Structure formats: structure tokens, C-alpha cells
Amino acid sequence: MFVNGLLSVALFFLAATGVSGFSVTTSNADVRVKENAGTDLTCSYSPDFGSNARVEWKYMDQKGSQAYVIFDGKPTTPYADRVTMYGSNLRFTKTTRKDNGVYDCEVSGNGQPGEVRVKLTVLVPPSPPLCRVPTSVTTGNTAFLSCHDSDGSPPPQYKWYKNGVLLPPEPSKIAGFQNATYRLNTNNGDLEFPAVTKMDSAQYYCESFNEAGPPQRCKAMQMEVRDINTGGIVAGVIIVLLLLVLLGVGIWYAHKKGYLPKKSESKPKSNVVYQPPSLNGGDDEDGDFKQKSSFVV
């Protein structure tokens, strides 16, 4: 009875504290390291898995593709020259930006599985972003400006400047920008004007930034907003109409002077009817064969 009582108390204590067997843990679930530096991904497990527990490490990139880093106690070929395993921990002697992603430490033993996930972020400073700014836009049309930096890690965020003045992400909340109609996405660097006005004519440049290094910007580029050239359109229509009139007059004059060929009159074709010789005498009674032709006009 006493032993049963102790066991009940122990089970109650484990349930109350949330402690259970077959646990896998890590001392740092969010590792951040500069590119080309080394780092450790830690993994520890409870004794319940036994002394012969199997430990494997898997990597999943930012697109969801998975691959083994440690299999059967050894690093796989892509990691053999810069990854080692000590105990159940994973050590990188050198990291690259391609190592960004999550790593799963999977432990199995005594018929039970367990795992813990570690996120690895390799810090890479931003590079000067690639910016696209239209040089000329017609009033009322949509203008789309883009900015992207593919080198920075973690993925950079973006700022846009108009004539050297920072554009707030939410202009309606900032005094002096309430009438602005642009839409700015700081995560992907897109700046969109749904319907540009003459006031949007300016020099624009973009800046990318993250925690790994100083921000970088692209070269400022001019966007000019122009009104619709109504006079030019009207002049173009008038010129086309004049050309059509001149063409019609030219055809009429050439026809009047006989420069154009006249249509040839069609003549009826003659039909030739063959009349076989009479079998009842007449002019053919002498037995001579004569051919008679009849022309019908």
C-alpha cells in the first residue's frame, strides 16, 4: 500500500508539473550566426530512450525541401567537410547563407520517437537593391516601382524615399501625407501609385536593411508624370482624315483620265451542237456520212 501510494503521488506530481518521459529538448531554439562563422545546434534527450538511442538530424529549407544532415551517425555528403556530431549535438565549422532554415533533431529508442526543432539564421548584410522606376507615366495611370535585395539574410525590409524624404508605410496616419494615394509594402519593396498625379513627379530611391549590417540603397531615378497630349491626338486624327481624302481624290482623278484599266466586257460563248446522220433517208440516203453543225447564238 505504501509503495502504491508513493507511485500515485509521483504520477500526480508528473502530471501537475507537465514533466513526462521520452523528452527531447534544446538549449537554444533560435540560433543566429554571421556567415562563414561556426555554431552549434544543441539537442538532448531523456534517459527513457535508452543508452542506444538513435539520433538523426534533418534540414528543411525555406521552400519546404527536406534532407538529412546526419544519418546513421554520420554527416551526409553535402555536409561532410564542415559538419560534425558530438554526442547528440550538431556543430558547423562554417556556415553559409544556404544553411538558413530549420533543423530537426529526431531521437528514437525503446520503441518511442521524439524530436526538437532548431531554427538557424545566417546573418548576411544587405547589398544595394535592384530598383525599377518608370521614367514617364501618364496622369491617371498606375505606376509600379519595385525594389529587391536577394543577398541579405534575414530577408531585408525596404524603405522608399521621394526627393530624399522618407515615405511612411501608412501615409494616412502621418501629417502631411493624408492625401497621398500610394501603397507601400515594406516586406517585398513594392511601391504602387494606383492613379498618379503631377504631384508624384519626383526622384525616387529605395533602401534595404536588416540586422546583419548597414542599410544599402539604389541610385535615385526620376519619374515624370505627364498629362495626356490631347492636341497631339487631335492632330493625328486630322492628318489621317486628310490622307484618306487625298487618296479618294487621287483614285477618282485617275479613273476619270483613264489611267486605271477598264473592266473588259464579257462575250457569250458559242455552243456547237452535233447532229448525227439521219437513219430514215433524206440527204443521207446515198450512204455518205455527213456532219452537220448548228451554231446557236
Side-chain angles (χ1 to χ4, degrees), residues 185-196:
N185 189 325
T186 58
N187 293 321
N188 63 18
D190 291 344
L191 175 62
E192 182 181 1
F193 295 86
V196 294

Side-chain angles (χ1 to χ4, degrees), residues 233-251:
I233 296 175
V234 172
V237 172
I238 293 175
I239 291 173
V240 171
L241 292 176
L242 288 175
L243 291 175
L244 292 175
V245 171
L246 291 174
L247 179 62
V249 171
I251 294 175

Side-chain angles (χ1 to χ4, degrees), residues 212-246:
Q216 300 289 332
R217 63 180 56 174
C218 63
K219 182 180 178 181
M221 290 174 278
Q222 180 73 26
M223 182 177 77
E224 194 70 31
V225 180
R226 304 180 185 275
D227 291 327
I228 297 176
N229 189 1
T230 307
I233 296 175
V234 172
V237 172
I238 293 175
I239 291 173
V240 171
L241 292 176
L242 288 175
L243 291 175
L244 292 175
V245 171
L246 291 174

Side-chain angles (χ1 to χ4, degrees), residues 218-289:
C218 63
K219 182 180 178 181
M221 290 174 278
Q222 180 73 26
M223 182 177 77
E224 194 70 31
V225 180
R226 304 180 185 275
D227 291 327
I228 297 176
N229 189 1
T230 307
I233 296 175
V234 172
V237 172
I238 293 175
I239 291 173
V240 171
L241 292 176
L242 288 175
L243 291 175
L244 292 175
V245 171
L246 291 174
L247 179 62
V249 171
I251 294 175
W252 172 82
Y253 182 80
H255 186 271
K256 181 179 180 181
K257 293 296 184 179
Y259 297 146
L260 297 179
K262 297 182 179 180
K263 294 182 180 179
S264 58
E265 297 180 359
S266 58
K267 296 181 180 181
K269 297 181 180 180
S270 59
N271 295 328
V272 178
V273 178
Y274 171 73
Q275 182 175 350
S278 175
L279 301 177
N280 299 322
D283 295 336
D284 297 333
E285 289 179 356
D286 57 355
D288 296 331
F289 176 82

